[in-house]
Each structure stands twice: as C-alpha cells, then as structure tokens.
Amino acid sequence: MTLRVAVSGASGYAGGEVLRLLSSHPEVEIGSITAHSNAGQKLGGLQPHLHALADRVLEPTEVEVLRGHDVVFLALPHGASADIAAELSDDTLVIDAGADHRLESTPMWEKFYGSPHAGTWPYGLPELPGRREKLVGARRIAVPGCYPTGSLLGLAPGFDAGVLEAEDVVIVAASGTSGAGKSLKPHLIGSEAMGNMSPYGVGGVHRHTPEIIQGLSWAAGEEVSLSFTPTLAPMPRGILTTATAKFKRGVSVPEIRAAWDKAYRDEQFVHLLPEGQWPSTKSVLGSNHVVMQLAVDESSGRVVVVVAVDNLTKGTAGGAIQSMNVALGYPEGTGLTAQGVAP
C-alpha cells in the first residue's frame, strides 16, 4: 500500500530535507506540504533543489490540512508540534522532528524550554540500545536532536557494555550553520560565519544537554553526568563530535574497541572505521550514514570517540524516515541508500 505523507514546515531546512528523502522512497506519495509564514508560495521558490515538487503550493500548517494522511512529519519549532499532534488521529503515524516529545523529565523540559511538557514519545534512534523495539508499530515518534544523534551513538556502546564510568563525560561538538534553522540571525550571515568558529550554549545550558544525558543514562542504567559544549563551524551542514569518558579500572584496550565493534558491526548506517582512519563531515554529506573512530588515552584513563554525522540527514530527516520504516515494517534503509558525496 502506498503511504500518503504530509510534511509541515516544508520551507525550512529540516522540512526540505524530509521532502528530498521522501521523493526517493518507493512506498510514499507526498500529500500536503505546509508552511506558516510562507503559505501560498510555490515550494520551488524556497527549496529550488526539489525540482519534482517545485510547482507545489505551500498550504497553511493547520490540522484540517494534515488530517487524512497515513504519516505526518512535523518539522516545526519547539512548542508548535504538541497541539497539532493532539488533534490528529491515533491511526496516523506522527513523527515530530522538533523537541516537544523527546524528554521524559517534565522538570528538565520546563527548565530548558520554559513551557509545559507535552509528554514523551518513543525515541527515534534505532541504533541506541533498547530503542528499536519500541519503534515497531509506534504511531507517535520523537526524532532526536542533531547533537544528541552523534553524541549518543558515539558513547552508548561503551555504557551499554559497562566499560565506561558514568561520571565526568565531556562532549564538544562543531555544527554547520544549518543547525540553527533558516531564520535570519546576524551571527549566521556570511560575513560573520565564514572563516570563523565560535562557541555558544556554554556551561550546560544548551537545550540538547538533558536529551544527551537521558540517552546515555538509558544505555548506562544509571545517571550520567555531562559537560556539553557546542560550537559553530563555518560550513553549511554536518556535525563533528568529540566525546570522551573515563573507562573503568581493569578494562583492556581490546575490550573497549570490541564494545563498539559489537554494537555496530551489523548496523546499516553506523560505521566504526578501521583503526587509523578518522571521520570527516564531508564523508557523510547528504547521507544517513554515521562514521566514527575511537582511541584509548591510557595516560588520562579516557576513551575518545570522534563522530561525523550530517545534521540534516541522519541528524534529522533521515533519522525520521528510518524510524518511519521501522514503525511500519519496511526495510530500515528504504529510501535511504545514498552514500556520501565527495569531494
């Protein structure tokens, strides 16, 4: 059966990426395409790379427009998804690419987002231990944030295998400017961003911090303490994450590497590179693939994992479609077989 799929927020980066990938999905018919302030405009004027959909006119992001579809993707700012999702049928698969339904903790949501908590949906990161089975048959899915995608995939195998300490985890990640969305912001204009790197959300205040803690704590079976620092890199898309954690006493270097090898040897999209080869963001550009490498710093007693992910593909839209495939029983890679682009 062909799925009729609606995409909201289609004029933004995340919505546009969802449409790009859905256009290659053999089981999908693209139904309503919606936006807010850009409603009434043709998609081609806002997403000129989507040639097959260029003449489609954006409809308003309203419940009546989204009803009647088999699947609805909500690529909206945080706080905008919950009310719409609540009005859609329980038979409709609703996939929220925003933050509204990612966190289990109401206090953490209120602290970092400053609004009422909308509840928790199954978490759309199939490779994270214990998550894939929760997606099967789901009708509501919360897509992870882009920073958590790389951070969780980087360290979860070590916590799941019991080789890492839960205290003193440190993650520093550099993201391309598309991670901030399409709205005009002075620090993202070319003259500010080109040839420049800068930190932001420093000191544990970035909104993805509780989400990373939540996912690592799931894997560890106990609360993980985290210092997370995001930085802005002068590139349009991609995230390079450097994640470090202490390894437990008595654990050998071969045991450490074996934990990551075991976790990802059968995964289609997550790859532990051969020893000596290090990740680069360009190698995963436009793809749903994640590449990583690890090193054991015995002098400091820490494992260092470096992860490259495309923030718009695996970090948002690709992860959303992969989760849709799991939920509906399609092969997980359907519509997501593209390799990276080089040079």
Side-chain angles (χ1 to χ4, degrees), residues 154-155 240-243 257 260 264 271-280 290-296 303-308:
L155 288 179
L240 190 71
T241 299
T242 302
R257 187 169 184 88
W260 273 259
Y264 297 133
H271 313 281
L272 177 62
L273 296 174
E275 292 190 62
Q277 183 180 346
W278 289 91
S280 65
V290 180
V291 293
M292 67 181 69
Q293 184 58 274
L294 65 88
V296 178
V303 177
V304 182
V305 187
V306 181
V307 184

Side-chain angles (χ1 to χ4, degrees), residues 177-224:
T177 55
S178 61
K182 211 170 185 178
S183 299
L184 180 62
K185 301 176 180 70
H187 72 288
L188 299 178
I189 63 176
S191 58
E192 298 291 336
M194 287 188 299
N196 185 39
M197 283 195 69
S198 57
Y200 65 102
V202 180
V205 299
H206 191 277
R207 285 172 168 163
H208 286 172
T209 302
E211 186 182 344
I212 299 171
I213 292 172
Q214 173 181 270
L216 293 180
S217 299
W218 285 338
E222 61 179 313
E223 186 76 8
V224 170

Side-chain angles (χ1 to χ4, degrees), residues 21 35 85 204 248-249 261-262 271:
L21 297 173
K248 293 182 177 180
R249 288 185 178 181
D261 179 67
K262 179 182 178 181
H271 313 281

